[in-house]
Amino acid sequence: MKKILLVNPYETTQSGFTNPPLGLLYIAGTLIKNGFEVRLVDGCIEGKEAVKKAIEDFQPHFVGITSYTPGRLKAIEIAGMAKSFDPGIKVILGGAHPTIMHRQIMENYPSVDYIVIGEGEVSCLEIIQGKNPAGIHGIVYRDSEGIIKTPNRTYVADLDTVPFPAWHLVDYTRYPSIDRGVYNGINLRQVPRVSIIFSRGCTGHCDFCSTWWIWKGWRHRSPVNMADEIELLYTDFGIRHFCFADDALTINREATIGLCDEIINRKLKIAFHATTRTDCVDEVILAKLKEAGCYKIAYGIETASPKLLENMGKENDIGTSERAITLTKKAGIIVTALIIVGSVGETPETVQETVNFLKRTKPDEVGSVGGLWILPGTKLYRESKKIGFIDDNYWLKNEPFKIYTVEYSREQLDKFNRQVYGYRNIFSRIIKRLRKRIS
């Protein structure tokens, strides 16, 4: 029996925490269903030595590694680690970064044997089953003629047919939550938090995001199928705290309400938070989400400047965002406003527009990564290359990502960020009110 080791790279946590590697768990679920022996090591939690030891002890035939852009070089390091132990191990790389930068990786890193483009369950399975790579859609490989990219794979239309993630492969106690408070009798800080996903893709076309480019649309599971997985985690593993990893959970109103009804009718006493678009909520959806266990929603506001929203292709308006925040708070759900400071065309005046918006709407939390990240596969990246601010060779360097500083320096961006975060300090007393709201 072929043995497959799946690896989440080490030293790739964000803000000091991490979630179970959901993509790898989905791959594992498909492989196990088809009779393969699979192990998973989460380097984020277990560290570099644990990854090395897993390779040596398990002696896999294949090593599958996931890679986002900031952690791409750690993924390559693990590929080299596997080859150093046994050159016969076949290394498969997947995830957002190799999906987009596949040719660069194959040209520069001979330790990688295959790259899976986009949705990976079927492509990985067919590689491991030993099918002729020329007949496997959605992969990149090498042969005597060089680097070969096969035709794109048609994504799974019915997500209910995808096996559940192999949840038994992870130790949940090692994934604490960063949220605090008590909801539905669940102390959020004292129980593990598990990521789940109801849909794949996004309907937006923001210039800083590659999600639409990778997924080519949006699909969702049936409410029954999603609730079945939640109930499995609830009953068999004792999980009570969930994070929906969807880019926008509530795009389909009927499906969202149906999922909430399934959770409510099954009497699953859970707590969860989600991310969605401000134009995809209303009073009914929010009431249902609250009843089903939703305690927090993050909205991608980005900026309160209509001009900047148009520039970045946000396809939303400030009035809609203001209404969504108001309705969400009215429903008793915590609101996080996700903000990008330093977008193309940002000025002190547009920053002040955002600050005024935050003061006016009073979201409970403000989230920002400190600037506008330039990532491959985005319109922003293509435009930045045109003006010579970045080129593809950047991704061969050690820097995890690049901040857009064409118009303002990092120091000036930090000043803008302090203005935005000054709002949060002004309303720090809200934190005390949160304790009461989610009790």
Side-chain angles (χ1 to χ4, degrees), residues 281-290 297 299 327-328 331 333:
V281 294
D282 57 35
E283 293 93 332
V284 174
I285 289 177
L286 291 167
K288 282 290 185 181
L289 286 168
K290 172 71 173 179
I297 296 177
Y299 293 115
L327 292 177
T328 305
I333 299 172

Side-chain angles (χ1 to χ4, degrees), residues 114-134:
Y114 301 95
I115 288 176
V116 170
I117 304 295
E119 195 166 73
E121 289 92 348
V122 179
S123 298
C124 279
L125 174 63
E126 292 182 353
I127 290 171
I128 292 166
Q129 286 175 330
K131 293 186 178 181
N132 185 340

